[in-house]
Amino acid sequence: MSASTIKHAVPYYSQWESAALVPGFVEGADAAGDPLWAGSGADSPEEYAFWAPRMCGVACLRMALGRLGLPVPPSVELVKELCAAGAYVRDGDAVQGLIYQPFAEYVNARWGLDARSEPRLDHGTVRDVLAGGGLAMLSVHWSIRTLVPAGAARGGHLVLAVGATEDAVLVHNPSGFPDGSQAYAPVPWAELDRFYAGRGVLLAGRAG
């Protein structure tokens, strides 16, 4: 590893319990058939299947908690806490969220972390946070997993920046594929903005 490489030791969590089955779920397989669904803390396979496609931010939070050696609750348990905090707003089968400001406030209050919602988050700030030992949740388009953008769409999905090189940001992608786009997946800085909405949440470690 060169002196200019940053690579934090961060555990990987998918937003689905069975990370190896993500390609099938992305293609439309019913997540209620995930053999590991109960590990999510959901009350039923159907509850898990409803939330799993929406839990990219929850997966990022779980990874950050693991990085800091804090307890890592099951994903749907965290969803319920985030709903109570206003970071998810559910209306029937529609969900608004993850909403960054109430999410950051929840993370600060519940976990004692220095979390900040950043509506404008440039590459330099991401690099600086990583260099200082922090992490960054980045709003990107889901097609970042293949580096083939779907049209001009940006944002709508969250990945966790866990490291960087001179040429690329390294991300843990909650909906990445097990062929190499899940953990420490390199996204060239020069290509990032084809997917990146320029906003996110900084997780700079313990508040002090």
Side-chain angles (χ1 to χ4, degrees), residues 104-196:
E105 291 170 358
Y106 158 84
V107 171
N108 292 338
R110 173 73 167 84
W111 300 103
L113 304 186
D114 181 13
R116 302 195 307 275
S117 171
E118 295 288 353
R120 293 181 180 83
L121 183 55
D122 61 31
H123 296 190
T125 302
V126 173
R127 288 177 190 259
D128 289 345
V129 167
L130 290 167
L135 306 171
M137 295 168 57
L138 307 180
S139 177
V140 299
H141 191 261
W142 57 262
S143 60
I144 199 170
R145 71 169 72 92
T146 62
L147 295 182
V148 179
R154 297 176 185 172
H157 175 59
L158 287 162
V159 299
L160 187 67
V162 296
T165 68
E166 289 294 329
D167 298 323
V169 59
L170 306 178
V171 303
H172 279 8
N173 185 345
S175 72
F177 290 166
D179 63 358
S181 63
Q182 288 182 343
Y184 299 105
V187 178
W189 292 108
E191 297 186 40
L192 178 62
D193 288 341
R194 294 190 296 148
F195 311 90
Y196 181 41

